[in-house]
Amino acid sequence: MSELKWWQKAVFYQIYPRSFADTNGDGIGDLEGIRRHLDYLQDLGVEAIWLCPHYPSPLVDWGYDVANYTDVAPEYGTLEDFRRLLQETHRRNIRVIVDFVLNHTSDQHPWFQESRSSRDNPKRDWYIWREGRDGGPPNNWYSTFGGPAWEYDPRTGQYYYHFFFKEQPDLNWRNPEVKRAMFDAARFWLEMGVDGFRLDAVGTLFEDPALPDQTAPMSYEEWLKRWSAAADEAERERLQRVRQEMFRYQEDLPEVHDVMRELRALVDTYGDIVLVGETEDLAYYGNGEDELHLVFNFPLMKAPRLTPAVVRANQRERLAGMPPGAWPCNTMGNHDVSRALSRYGDGQHDLEIARLAAALMLTLRGTPFIYYGEEIGMRDLILTDLSQFRDPLGRWWYQVERELFGTPHEEAVVRGARFGRDKCRTPMQWSRGPNAGFCPAAVRPWLPVHPNHAEGVNVADQLEDPDSLLSFYRRLIHLRQRTPALVAGDYLPLAEDSNEALVFLRRLPEDGQACLVAMNMTAHPTQVDTGLDGWGRCLFSTDRAERREEALRELRLAPFEITIIELHPQRQSHGAAEHP
Ligand code: GLC
Ligand code: CA
């Protein structure tokens, strides 16, 4: 296991700084709040932190509209606070990666202010400016956040391009000066000692310079409506193809791989730095060594239901599709999607299902990324008052529902709240006390706290309870850390005809350690034939005694049981393991 890099072994934890912990009483999380909870993270077994954007920003897209790449947002602290946080995190052997937004800046960034000031400003070509066509935008491209991808700027009589909100103008990556400036920003944080970057929206860096019209058969609003109503997998796949057609000139152009290779070469000169891309496209691994180190397994996160067949198919496809040397990366949630428990919970076995999601992430091959609060079972908070919406996406969808689809106000609010991303960004729930211990009692947090913090969904209560979800995460993370096969072993599916249980081996080469992982993903007992002979020792289980000897062939699994058994080195037959 020693030859693996730190980022292959580490359990990552994503922090949304605004929502983690407020220490100065303004209702907004801050860097000091993160620093004060490092003991918590260390005890949980976290070995690396991904910080969502900590840069100065006018907050249209809540930090993903960066106004200065080499500073800290004043409400989060100062560069000095950042250095201190980094130091203290490192002292605990926890690494820190920061979010890096390459595709666009804020419209308040001085670069854009200059660029828009006149047609012959030296920074004009740092962004994408074009003449209109027939009194309208240059072509029919959409912004992924709704409406046209072009914004008219009366000052100079041209349009600029934005893949996201109009306050997030796209940088022109065909201009070498842009690349130089952004790489300098990367160097700034690397010099300070950060351990890597989560690269935002990498697929959107380039667009077709000829600006051909897209030819999708429906409007984007119509597409989104159908997507949210899609009844089955076949419909979703069909719609996925329509979306690809709609954005084909704006996403995943081949040129982006040149930038990834150059960025990789740059970070490689700083030692063991990691690049994680916000993409699921395996092409971003390059040849396995020359582009990104990690690409998220979003298809697993987006699976509408977790079943053994879904997970097996996902693993088959992902692992076979990766170039040699590439390393997988699994996650169950982030700041853009519904929380795992809200997606997968059935209202009856939520704790069990949350455990399954965690166990998948922590036992499948690859680096796990936990989203803050997931470890205590935080859920989406669906705001019912439009005035509380913070994410403009939620407000936009409310308008679309009202104006385009004629949805009544109350229903439109709920749909807007579900569409927007406030739901998964609410304050971390530290205790059952006022404001869940996120900020002082008298203060109003920037987003409301989920009321379920008073019903056990909080850190303090769960730390005390050995049967809590938090204790489960902690126990499994710690087991993972001392069990090389669970980190470095390959993945070998067993009992592939079972619709109830997911069973697989994680196995080191030659006669190294091998672990059998078995999860019953249903609410009834089941039995599987693993195809393995011999015995093993139980390392971890929701239902059976640990350290006990278990026969490997016929496994009876209790409802939602999760069990990990270490095979005995000599006694089990490797032949059977290889050819189940
Ligand atoms: C990424 C971020 C998302 C943001 C978008 C634009 O998708 O995860 O939060 O809105 O990029 O920067
Ligand atoms: Ca604060």
Side-chain angles (χ1 to χ4, degrees):
M1 187 146 90
S2 54
E3 67 282 9
L4 289 186
K5 302 283 191 195
W6 67 268
W7 48 266
Q8 295 174 299
K9 296 186 269 192
V11 171
F12 278 70
Y13 187 93
Q14 179 189 354
I15 293 182
Y16 198 73
R18 210 170 188 79
S19 294
F20 203 57
D22 169 28
T23 57
N24 65 346
D26 57 3
I28 299 171
D30 38 58
L31 297 184
E32 176 63 7
I34 300 172
R35 196 185 67 81
R36 290 195 199 162
H37 286 99
L38 289 176
D39 285 343
Y40 166 72
L41 296 175
Q42 187 172 24
D43 179 62
L44 180 58
V46 167
E47 297 156 296
I49 295 169
W50 152 25
L51 270 192
C52 279
H54 61 285
Y55 313 98
S57 162
L59 301 176
V60 172
D61 195 17
W62 297 98
Y64 283 94
D65 45 333
V66 177
N68 181 349
Y69 285 92
T70 54
D71 204 351
V72 172
E75 68 267 39
Y76 296 162
T78 61
L79 275 173
E80 219 22 70
D81 294 325
F82 187 92
R83 279 196 197 93
R84 183 163 179 219
L85 173 63
L86 193 61
Q87 234 174 35
E88 294 199 18
T89 313
H90 283 165
R91 195 178 308 144
R92 290 170 163 83
N93 287 320
I94 301 175
R95 315 274 180 145
V96 179
I97 70 168
V98 294
D99 224 305
F100 197 27
V101 187
L102 299 168
N103 175 65
H104 48 269
T105 68
S106 159
D107 64 350
Q108 302 304 307
H109 195 294
W111 299 341
F112 188 70
Q113 296 291 315
E114 277 190 53
S115 182
R116 80 185 329 180
S117 65
S118 76
R119 287 196 186 200
D120 52 15
N121 183 278
K123 291 214 168 50
R124 184 65 169 183
D125 191 42
W126 280 41
Y127 294 84
I128 299 170
W129 293 97
R130 291 288 190 285
E131 296 293 338
R133 179 179 69 181
D134 311 328
N139 68 11
N140 70 354
W141 292 355
Y142 287 108
S143 151
T144 190
F145 284 169
W150 299 95
E151 181 72 10
Y152 182 68
D153 200 26
R155 215 171 310 178
T156 52
Q158 284 188 321
Y159 288 80
Y160 66 85
Y161 173 76
H162 58 94
F163 187 80
F164 297 96
F165 294 121
K166 67 178 191 319
E167 295 84 355
Q168 295 169 296
D170 273 48
L171 285 162
N172 175 15
W173 276 87
R174 297 183 194 278
N175 182 339
E177 287 174 32
V178 165
K179 190 168 70 189
R180 206 170 308 136
M182 292 301 278
F183 281 21
D184 280 348
R187 280 192 198 95
F188 176 87
W189 297 103
L190 291 167
E191 298 288 342
M192 196 181 293
V194 306
D195 302 287
F197 300 101
R198 177 267 188 187
L199 303 177
D200 186 68
V202 283
T204 61
L205 259 49
F206 289 88
E207 35 295 312
D208 190 326
L211 310 189
D213 276 329
Q214 52 87 12
T215 52
M218 62 182 84
S219 76
Y220 189 36
E221 289 79 7
E222 180 63 28
W223 185 89
L224 285 164
K225 188 182 176 194
R226 292 199 198 183
W227 179 256
S228 64
D232 53 31
E233 206 39 46
E235 171 74 350
R236 263 187 291 272
E237 270 168 31
R238 201 182 67 81
L239 285 169
Q240 202 48 55
R241 281 194 296 276
V242 173
R243 193 188 188 282
Q244 261 159 23
E245 197 177 330
M246 199 177 285
F247 289 99
R248 62 188 277 204
Y249 302 112
Q250 301 167 259
E251 275 180 342
D252 296 323
L253 270 70
E255 292 90 322
V256 71
H257 294 284
D258 301 332
V259 175
M260 294 300 111
R261 273 190 294 274
E262 285 177 65
L263 187 57
R264 172 67 177 259
L266 167 75
V267 304
D268 278 352
T269 64
Y270 285 83
D272 278 343
I273 299 299
V274 70
L275 295 176
V276 192
E278 192 211 0
T279 175
E280 63 190 45
D281 183 351
L282 298 174
Y284 285 88
Y285 282 117
N287 68 10
E289 280 171 0
D290 63 348
E291 293 193 35
L292 303 182
H293 301 86
L294 296 174
V295 165
F296 286 110
N297 181 3
F298 286 144
L300 183 63
M301 177 186 84
K302 291 189 226 156
R305 241 162 53 80
L306 293 178
T307 66
V310 163
V311 179
R312 282 195 290 262
N314 171 269
Q315 291 298 294
R316 198 178 314 126
E317 201 177 308
R318 301 292 295 182
L319 297 177
M322 287 176 19
W327 191 255
C329 177
N330 298 304
T331 186
M332 284 294 159
N334 62 42
H335 62 291
D336 292 328
V337 298
S338 210
R339 283 188 174 270
L341 197 47
S342 296
R343 259 177 295 135
Y344 296 127
D346 66 357
Q348 270 189 333
H349 310 98
D350 287 355
L351 174 66
E352 291 84 349
I353 292 170
R355 284 177 178 167
L356 277 180
L360 281 175
M361 204 173 41
L362 293 168
T363 63
L364 287 175
R365 182 172 160 87
T367 300
F369 273 66
I370 298 172
Y371 183 50
Y372 83 93
E374 177 186 297
E375 73 278 20
I376 52 170
M378 278 177 65
R379 286 167 190 278
D380 289 350
L381 178 63
I382 302 301
L383 300 173
T384 51
D385 182 348
L386 204 53
S387 72
Q388 291 179 324
F389 283 28
R390 297 306 191 112
D391 181 10
L393 265 192
R395 284 197 295 268
W396 172 65
W397 195 250
Y398 166 82
Q399 290 299 339
V400 170
E401 287 284 347
R402 294 290 285 148
E403 288 160 21
L404 242 54
F405 308 140
T407 312
H409 166 75
E410 269 171 34
E411 176 64 19
V413 172
V414 173
R415 291 202 193 168
R418 287 195 196 286
F419 189 90
R421 299 164 297 178
D422 296 328
K423 59 179 187 271
C424 61
R425 298 175 176 177
T426 59
M428 177 68 178
Q429 296 167 200
W430 293 105
S431 74
R432 64 167 70 183
N435 287 328
F438 163 76
C439 62
V443 172
R444 200 161 139 208
W446 80 282
L447 268 178
V449 172
H450 200 301
N452 68 9
H453 72 275
E455 293 144 28
V457 185
N458 69 70
V459 171
D461 285 350
Q462 294 194 22
L463 277 177
E464 303 285 297
D465 175 3
D467 295 323
S468 66
L469 187 59
L470 180 57
S471 298
F472 178 88
Y473 265 86
R474 196 176 161 278
R475 217 155 56 84
L476 191 50
I477 292 172
H478 285 264
L479 174 77
R480 183 187 147 91
Q481 282 162 346
R482 54 173 196 269
T483 311
L486 289 181
V487 178
D490 61 6
Y491 161 90
L492 196 91
L494 301 174
E496 289 189 82
D497 51 356
S498 172
N499 291 321
E500 286 81 31
L502 178 73
V503 185
F504 56 90
L505 272 187
R506 296 291 314 279
R507 194 185 51 174
L508 294 175
E510 273 126 46
D511 279 334
Q513 188 187 40
C515 290
L516 176 71
V517 181
M519 307 181 200
N520 181 355
M521 302 179 86
T522 70
H524 48 263
T526 187
Q527 181 163 345
V528 284
D529 180 357
T530 63
L532 299 176
D533 293 323
W535 294 73
R537 189 175 58 113
C538 180
L539 296 182
F540 180 96
S541 180
T542 48
D543 291 80
R544 48 187 94 200
E546 284 164 23
R547 287 187 285 277
R548 218 180 63 183
E549 292 295 304
E550 299 283 347
L552 299 173
R553 182 168 285 271
E554 292 292 330
L555 275 187
R556 282 171 200 280
L557 297 169
F560 294 110
E561 173 172 347
I562 298 164
T563 287
I564 303 175
I565 299 171
E566 180 181 10
L567 277 57
H568 290 309
Q570 305 302 323
R571 301 219 322 261
Q572 101 279 349
S573 139
H574 275 100
E578 267 151 27
H579 308 286

